[in-house]
Amino acid sequence: MGKDKNPRRVADNEAMAKLRMLKTSPQKLNLIAGLIRGKKVEKALTDLTFSKKRIAVDVKKCLQSAIANAENNHGLDVDELVVAEAFVGKNLVMKRGRPRARGRFGRIHKPFAELTIKVRQVEETA
C-alpha cells in the first residue's frame, strides 16, 4: 500500500552528488568546475588537489562523494568513471552594507553557489 519508488534522476551508468550553500560566487566556482569537466576522475582529483583556489577543496569533496555514490549505491567501477557534467547554480545572496560618505550606504553582496557533479562509467575501448 506504500508509495511507488521514485524514478532515478540519472541514467543507469551514472551517479551524482550535489553541494549547496558554497560561500563563493557562481562565476568563481564555474572556473573550477570547468577544470574537471570531461576528465577521468583520477585526473580530476589530482587537478583539484594541486589547485591554488580556495573553493577547490569543496569541489574535491563533492567529486569524492559522487565517486562514492557511484561505487556504493549503483555498483559502478571506479576505474572507468569520467566526470560527465559539472554545473554550477546560483543560491542565495546575503545583502550587507557599509556606511559611505555623505550619509550614503554602500551595498555589499555576499553570494552563495551550488554545485552538481555527475560521473559516468565509460568502458575503455582498447
Side-chain angles (χ1 to χ4, degrees), residues 8 10-11 13-17 66 69-70 74 76 117-120:
R8 285 194 59 192
V10 291
N13 64 340
E14 288 183 342
M16 79 176 224
N69 289 343
H74 308 303
L76 302 178
I117 294 179
K118 286 186 184 177
V119 292
R120 180 179 298 138

Side-chain angles (χ1 to χ4, degrees), residues 33-76:
L35 186 70
I36 64 170
R37 258 182 223 121
K39 292 186 178 178
K40 292 186 70 64
V41 290
E42 306 93 42
K43 176 76 172 122
L45 284 171
T46 307
D47 289 350
L48 291 172
T49 302
F50 294 107
S51 175
K52 292 185 178 182
K53 301 280 189 180
R54 172 189 63 87
I55 202 64
V57 176
D58 293 325
V59 175
K60 183 179 174 187
K61 282 183 188 176
C62 186
L63 180 56
Q64 287 171 332
S65 176
I67 294 167
N69 289 343
E71 184 178 19
N72 296 323
N73 300 347
H74 308 303
L76 302 178

